């Protein structure tokens, strides 16, 4: 019912924010050039951490697509048609990032892993939240972003 749909919204939003933060940090830490720049595969040395270029690794599109696919898979309780549609669409998004020379295959693979894994953990944490023992919530401001987890013993 509506309660489960509301939970999907919470899970989707939390997954998007957390996986996006992880992906954003990795992009800044690695600074891998995109394939269409002809700069090669390796990290750009001597680049400031917050530089806004050479942010190929990992793919943010793949991260978001697979976080969404995992959330949709949870909502439909593993029904095959929605599962195939969700992961198929996520796979097409990921593939398009490679074929358009915006990402290396490893960028997309790691982005997909970050998205799927984050959404899977968010789902498990939210299931524990329902039991009343754990509360998980992300936060975001102009100065910082992250997550809080409170556990009741």
């Amino acid at each position: 019912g509506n309660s489960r749909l509301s939970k999907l919204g919470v899970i989707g939003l939390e997954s998007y924010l957390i996986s996006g933060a992880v992906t954003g940090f990795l992009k800044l830490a690695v600074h891998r050039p995109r394939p269409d720049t002809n700069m090669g595969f390796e990290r750009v040395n001597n680049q400031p951490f917050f530089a806004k270029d050479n942010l190929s690794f990992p793919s943010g599109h793949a991260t978001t697509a697979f976080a969404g696919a995992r959330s949709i898979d949870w909502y439909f309780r593993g029904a095959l048609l929605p599962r195939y549609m969700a992961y198929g669409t996520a796979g097409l998004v990921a593939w398009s990032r490679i074929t358009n020379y915006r990402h290396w295959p490893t960028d997309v693979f790691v982005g997909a892993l970050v998205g799927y894994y984050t959404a899977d953990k968010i789902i498990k944490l939210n299931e524990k939240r329902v039991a009343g023992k754990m509360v998980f919530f992300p936060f975001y401001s102009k100065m910082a972003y992250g997550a809080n987890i409170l556990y009741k013993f």
Side-chain angles (χ1 to χ4, degrees):
N2 287 340
S3 175
R4 189 161 173 87
L5 186 59
S6 296
K7 289 177 189 172
L8 173 63
V10 169
I11 286 169
L13 179 61
E14 290 175 345
S15 299
Y16 173 76
L17 292 173
I18 302 296
S19 65
V22 170
T23 297
F25 175 80
L26 288 172
K27 283 178 175 290
L28 293 172
V30 174
H31 282 290
R32 179 188 285 172
R34 295 185 184 276
D36 61 1
T37 63
N38 296 319
M39 292 178 67
F41 185 76
E42 300 301 320
R43 180 187 189 282
V44 176
N45 292 323
N46 302 321
Q47 187 166 7
F49 185 78
F50 289 108
K52 302 242 186 237
D53 52 353
N54 299 314
L55 301 176
S56 182
F57 179 86
S59 168
H61 284 79
T63 299
T64 302
F66 278 89
R70 177 62 185 106
S71 301
I72 290 167
D73 188 23
W74 168 82
Y75 178 76
F76 287 102
R77 298 185 168 124
L80 291 182
L81 182 60
R83 174 180 280 175
Y84 291 152
M85 290 175 65
Y87 289 114
T89 301
L92 288 173
V93 168
W95 182 251
S96 76
R97 302 305 288 168
I98 297 168
T99 58
N100 289 332
Y101 301 102
R102 297 302 295 155
H103 288 287
W104 303 97
T106 49
D107 301 343
V108 169
F109 179 73
V110 172
L113 285 178
V114 168
Y116 179 90
Y117 181 80
T118 301
D120 191 61
K121 294 305 163 196
I122 295 294
I123 288 165
K124 289 177 177 145
L125 287 170
N126 274 281
E127 288 171 351
K128 288 183 180 181
R129 179 190 322 183
V130 171
K133 290 190 171 189
M134 184 176 290
V135 177
F136 173 84
F137 52 94
F139 66 88
Y140 175 81
S141 73
K142 290 181 180 178
M143 300 299 290
Y145 51 86
N148 291 316
I149 300 174
L150 303 174
Y151 187 80
K152 181 180 176 183
F153 293 95

